C-alpha cells in the first residue's frame, strides 16, 4: 500500500516537470507575441487622447538645436541639417510618444545622436525636433490604428520644419535626414514642403532617408544618380545577405505615402541607393570601397568616432540593399527585445554618408546658379567641426 502514495508523488512530480517544460517552450515560441502584446495601447486610435503638442518655439521641443539658432555664424558650418529621428518610444500606454519620455530621450542621446546624426555634424547646424512619434508597437503591426498613429506623427514633423524654415534657416543650404520611421515622415515632408517650392529645392543639398522604403515609381525627388548630384534623394532599406525573411518583410510590410496622404503597402520596387557607391545603382560595391563603419553608441556627443573601413560590401537587388555580414563583433545586435527591433546601435555607412554629404554640399556651394545671398561663408572655405550643438 505504501507504493501507491510513492507512485502518485512521482507521477505528480513528472507532470509538474512536464507542465513547466511546456510553459517554457510556449514562452519561447510565443515570446514575440507576448512582448508585442504588452506594448499594445489596447485602445482604438479614434478614442485615444494623444500627449500635448510640442511648442517648437521652446528649446525643450528639440533633441538638438544650435546654441544660437537665430544667428548667422560666420565661422561655423555652412549648412543646416533637419533630422527626423527613428522610433525610440516602446509604447504600452500611448500610440504616440510624449516628447519627454525618458527612455526615448536616452535612446536618442546614447544611440541615435552619435550614430545617425554624427555623419552630418561637421558641415551642418543640426535641428532635430522632438515629435509625438508613433510607438514601436505601431511599427510591428499593420493595423489601421497603427497607420493612424504614424500619420498623426507627421503633423508634428511638418510643424517643426515650418518653424525651422521661418525662424532659423535664413536662406541657408540644408539637408534633410530621416531614419526608419523618421525617414517615412521625411518622405512626405519632401512632397509637401520642398519639391513644390523652387527656392527650397535650389537650396536642398540632398535628402538621405536611411532604412526607408520610398517607391521607385513617382518618388518626391529625383534619385541620386551621381556622387555629386544635389537636390536629390538617397533612400534605401537593407537586409543582410542570406536573410531572406528580412528581405521579404521589406517587400510585404513596408508602408509608403499614396497620393491621398494615406499609408499604403509598398507595391513594386523601392529606391535603392548604395551608400558605398554614392548613387542609385545595381552594381556591386566591394568592401574596399567602404569608408568606415562605427559603433558610436554611448560616445560623448561631439566626439568623432573611430571608423573601421572595409567592413561590408553592398549591392542592390530587387529594391533591397543586400549587405554582407560585418567582420567586427562590434556590429551585432545588442540590448533589450525592444531595442533590437529599432535601428541598430551602430552605423555601417557612417564614413560613406559623411563623405557623400560633404561632396554634395561642396558641389552646391560651387554651383554658379546657387543663390549668393544664401552663402553663410565662401565656397571652399575650411570649416572646423562645430561645437554649437547640444543634446538635452
Amino acid at each position: 500500500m505504501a507504493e501507491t502514495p510513492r507512485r502518485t508523488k512521482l507521477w505528480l512530480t513528472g507532470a509538474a516537470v512536464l507542465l513547466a517544460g511546456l510553459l517554457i517552450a510556449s514562452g519561447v515560441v510565443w515570446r514575440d507575441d507576448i512582448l508585442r502584446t504588452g506594448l499594445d495601447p489596447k485602445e482604438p486610435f479614434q478614442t485615444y487622447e494623444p500627449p500635448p503638442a510640442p511648442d517648437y518655439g521652446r528649446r525643450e521641443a528639440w533633441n538638438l538645436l544650435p546654441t544660437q539658432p537665430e544667428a548667422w555664424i560666420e565661422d561655423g558650418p555652412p549648412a543646416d541639417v533637419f533630422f527626423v529621428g527613428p522610433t525610440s518610444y516602446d509604447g504600452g500606454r500611448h500610440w504616440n510618444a510624449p516628447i519627454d519620455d525618458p527612455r526615448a530621450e536616452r535612446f536618442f542621446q546614447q544611440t541615435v545622436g552619435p550614430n545617425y546624426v554624427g555623419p552630418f555634424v561637421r558641415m551642418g547646424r543640426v535641428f532635430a525636433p522632438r515629435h509625438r512619434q508613433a510607438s514601436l508597437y505601431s511599427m510591428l503591426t499593420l493595423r489601421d490604428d497603427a497607420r493612424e498613429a504614424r500619420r498623426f506623427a507627421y503633423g508634428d514633423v511638418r510643424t517643426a520644419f515650418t518653424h525651422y524654415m521661418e525662424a532659423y534657416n535664413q536662406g541657408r543650404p540644408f539637408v534633410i535626414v530621416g531614419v526608419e520611421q523618421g525617414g517615412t515622415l521625411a518622405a512626405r515632408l519632401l512632397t509637401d514642403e520642398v519639391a513644390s517650392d523652387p527656392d527650397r529645392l535650389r537650396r536642398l543639398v540632398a535628402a538621405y532617408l536611411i532604412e526607408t522604403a520610398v517607391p521607385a515609381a513617382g518618388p518626391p525627388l529625383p534619385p541620386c544618380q551621381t556622387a555629386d548630384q544635389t537636390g536629390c534623394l538617397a533612400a534605401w532599406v537593407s537586409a543582410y545577405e542570406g536573410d531572406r525573411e528580412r528581405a521579404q518583410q521589406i517587400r510585404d510590410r513596408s508602408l509608403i505615402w499614396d497620393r491621398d496622404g494615406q499609408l499604403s503597402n509598398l507595391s513594386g520596387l523601392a529606391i535603392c541607393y548604395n551608400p558605398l557607391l554614392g548613387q542609385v545603382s545595381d552594381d556591386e560595391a566591394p568592401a574596399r570601397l567602404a569608408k568606415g563603419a562605427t559603433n558610436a553608441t554611448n560616445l560623448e556627443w561631439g566626439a568623432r568616432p573611430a571608423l573601421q573601413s572595409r567592413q561590408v560590401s553592398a549591392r542592390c537587388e530587387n529594391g533591397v540593399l543586400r549587405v554582407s555580414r560585418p567582420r567586427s563583433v562590434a556590429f551585432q545586435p545588442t540590448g533589450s527585445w525592444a531595442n533590437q527591433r529599432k535601428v541598430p546601435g551602430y552605423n555601417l555607412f557612417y564614413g560613406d554618408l559623411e563623405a557623400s554629404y560633404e561632396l554634395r554640399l561642396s558641389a552646391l556651394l560651387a554651383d554658379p546658379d546657387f543663390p549668393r545671398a544664401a552663402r553663410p561663408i565662401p565656397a571652399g572655405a575650411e570649416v572646423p567641426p562645430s561645437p554649437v550643438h547640444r543634446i538635452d
Side-chain angles (χ1 to χ4, degrees):
M1 296 292 294
E3 289 295 320
T4 301
R6 176 186 280 180
R7 287 199 193 102
T8 302
K9 185 176 181 180
L10 289 173
W11 184 88
L12 290 173
T13 301
V17 170
L18 179 61
L19 179 61
L22 289 172
L23 290 173
I24 292 172
S26 299
V28 171
V29 172
W30 291 304
R31 176 173 177 267
D32 281 8
D33 290 335
I34 293 169
L35 293 173
R36 185 182 289 111
T37 299
L39 300 180
D40 185 349
K42 300 178 179 63
E43 179 181 0
F45 189 84
Q46 290 84 344
T47 61
Y48 165 67
E49 183 175 346
D55 176 0
Y56 292 109
R58 302 176 64 88
R59 183 169 289 273
E60 55 265 30
W62 301 83
N63 276 308
L64 274 170
L65 190 71
T67 53
Q68 294 179 287
E70 303 89 352
W72 288 84
I73 302 175
E74 297 299 331
D75 59 348
D80 289 346
V81 179
F82 187 83
F83 181 89
V84 189
T87 305
S88 56
Y89 174 69
D90 293 353
R93 177 182 175 187
H94 289 285
W95 281 107
N96 292 84
I99 65 167
D100 59 353
D101 179 76
R103 286 188 181 182
E105 288 184 21
R106 281 197 300 272
F107 188 74
F108 189 96
Q109 294 168 8
Q110 297 172 0
T111 300
V112 176
N115 286 294
Y116 295 98
V117 182
F120 302 92
V121 169
R122 291 180 67 244
M123 299 285 279
R125 304 187 309 163
V126 180
F127 295 80
R130 290 175 172 150
H131 62 286
R132 291 171 292 177
Q133 61 173 259
S135 68
L136 176 63
Y137 178 76
S138 74
M139 309 301 291
L140 302 176
T141 177
L142 294 179
R143 286 169 50 186
D144 288 341
D145 290 321
R147 300 186 193 216
E148 288 299 315
R150 294 168 72 173
R151 287 183 67 246
F152 179 85
Y154 172 69
D156 282 358
V157 172
R158 188 175 189 177
T159 300
F161 183 76
T162 299
H163 183 81
Y164 155 71
M165 276 292 172
E166 293 176 351
Y168 303 138
N169 177 264
Q170 301 178 336
R172 294 175 184 269
F174 65 98
V175 62
I176 291 179
V177 182
V179 184
E180 188 242 9
Q181 176 184 168
T184 302
L185 302 178
R188 184 170 174 187
L189 190 68
L190 293 172
T191 298
D192 292 348
E193 299 294 330
V194 178
S196 59
D197 187 316
D199 176 62
R200 291 178 180 178
L201 197 55
R202 277 196 300 270
R203 291 186 287 112
L204 179 69
V205 180
Y208 291 89
L209 305 188
I210 301 166
E211 295 300 339
T212 304
V214 179
L221 296 176
C224 296
Q225 301 287 358
T226 62
D228 61 353
Q229 183 180 349
T230 62
C232 61
L233 174 59
W236 75 92
V237 61
S238 66
Y240 282 127
E241 291 281 8
D243 191 344
R244 296 182 180 179
E245 181 180 357
R246 163 69 176 162
Q248 194 60 48
Q249 284 180 346
I250 291 170
R251 299 186 186 99
D252 293 345
R253 299 179 64 85
S254 293
L255 297 180
I256 54 94
W257 299 100
D258 62 23
R259 293 180 180 179
D260 298 323
Q262 302 295 325
L263 284 164
S264 304
N265 290 80
L266 174 70
S267 61
L269 299 181
I271 291 175
C272 187
Y273 173 88
N274 190 326
L276 303 189
L277 298 175
Q279 62 188 49
V280 173
S281 172
D282 290 335
D283 294 342
E284 183 165 3
R288 61 181 170 79
L289 298 180
K291 293 180 173 62
T294 190
N295 184 329
T297 295
N298 292 321
L299 186 70
E300 181 182 357
W301 176 247
R304 190 169 184 269
L307 302 182
Q308 299 185 50
S309 61
R310 303 189 176 200
Q311 280 294 308
V312 294
S313 60
R315 62 186 175 89
C316 288
E317 180 183 287
N318 296 325
V320 177
L321 185 69
R322 307 308 297 264
V323 182
S324 64
R325 298 277 177 178
R327 300 173 181 177
S328 173
V329 296
F331 307 118
Q332 294 181 357
T334 57
S336 65
W337 176 90
N339 281 356
Q340 290 189 37
R341 279 146 185 83
K342 300 171 188 172
V343 293
Y346 51 81
N347 189 338
L348 298 177
F349 304 114
Y350 188 108
D352 307 281
L353 289 169
E354 185 177 61
S356 170
Y357 169 50
E358 294 186 9
L359 179 62
R360 295 185 199 280
L361 177 57
S362 297
L364 184 66
L365 293 175
D367 186 344
D369 293 329
F370 183 72
R372 299 292 170 180
R375 291 178 188 264
I377 62 173
E382 185 175 348
V383 180
S386 172
V388 299
H389 307 99
R390 76 179 192 184
I391 294 184
D392 292 325

